[in-house]
Amino acid sequence: PKRKRDWFEKFRWFKTSDELLVVGGRDAKSNEEIVKKFLDGGDLFFHADVIGASHCALKTKANQAPEQSKLEAAQFAVVFSRAWQSGATQADAYGALPSQVTKQAQSGEFVGKGAFMVYGEREWYRKTALSCAVGIEKIGDDFRVISGPVSAVQKHALHFVELAPGTEEKSAVAKKIW
């Protein structure tokens, strides 16, 4: 029998080194869904300072998370942004409270599908490395592919490979990994 998938597996996701869940959008529609349905008041919001980046929710209680989990969430946000496609090796990301994330634009501005305004102070993660890992996690008698920051995947995976931006096509890299 097939393993029943968890609700978050339809999004980009990973579990931090501290066992906290980070969920990110795959496109404008899922970014919208992450923020509107799954970003709760006690969570933290992360986004790369790059247009076309994934909106990420670090699922916490009382807006608190260990520093390592916040760094991993920031790294996840930059990896799943256009910075990766550009071949950059680092990018900036920021964290904010859910109350700072809104569809309300300033007068004369428009906020499209999948986009949000973030007002107020942000916690910046400057020059965050674009590096991630893909691995195999064992769940009971089953396995699943996981990805995320190297430090998090290393903790949860039986085996993993580290990836970095480059010039090789995604399909070629996928074949090498498989």
Side-chain angles (χ1 to χ4, degrees):
K2 272 185 130 176
R3 177 182 64 82
K4 185 176 184 270
R5 292 175 53 156
D6 291 311
W7 68 268
F8 51 83
E9 290 186 76
K10 70 179 185 175
F11 302 105
R12 292 182 169 130
W13 66 274
F14 79 98
K15 292 218 175 149
T16 69
S17 300
D18 303 301
E19 301 295 330
L20 297 174
L21 177 65
V22 176
V23 183
R26 293 183 175 274
D27 53 23
K29 182 181 175 189
S30 58
N31 276 342
E32 193 90 18
E33 192 175 356
I34 292 289
V35 173
K36 287 184 172 179
K37 286 185 179 179
F38 299 107
L39 183 65
D40 298 323
D43 298 338
L44 294 171
F45 173 82
F46 283 84
H47 193 268
D49 194 25
V50 177
I51 294 173
S54 183
H55 294 307
C56 302
L58 172 57
K59 305 298 285 175
T60 71
K61 290 181 175 47
N63 309 115
Q64 298 294 315
E67 200 58 38
Q68 180 67 23
S69 287
K70 293 193 288 187
L71 291 170
E72 289 171 350
Q75 188 171 30
F76 188 72
V78 297
V79 164
F80 290 107
S81 73
R82 290 190 181 153
W84 185 280
Q85 294 165 327
S86 75
T89 58
Q90 54 190 350
D92 295 340
Y94 60 85
L97 297 173
S99 60
Q100 296 174 257
V101 182
T102 181
K103 275 292 210 191
Q104 300 297 316
Q106 293 181 357
S107 180
E109 291 184 1
F110 172 76
V111 180
K113 183 174 186 170
F116 291 86
M117 300 297 290
V118 179
Y119 295 107
E121 283 292 313
R122 303 171 192 190
E123 186 173 355
W124 285 94
Y125 299 86
R126 302 282 186 196
K127 297 182 179 181
T128 303
L130 270 78
S131 173
C132 69
V134 177
I136 301 292
E137 178 182 40
K138 185 168 174 60
I139 300 181
D141 293 333
D142 221 345
F143 298 90
R144 71 176 164 197
V145 176
I146 59 172
S147 67
V150 176
S151 55
V153 172
Q154 186 175 18
K155 180 172 181 180
H156 300 290
L158 298 172
H159 303 282
F160 71 95
V161 293
E162 185 175 350
L163 304 172
T167 57
E168 210 165 343
E169 289 291 321
K170 288 181 189 177
S171 58
V173 174
K175 285 178 184 175
K176 285 181 181 180
I177 293 172
W178 191 248

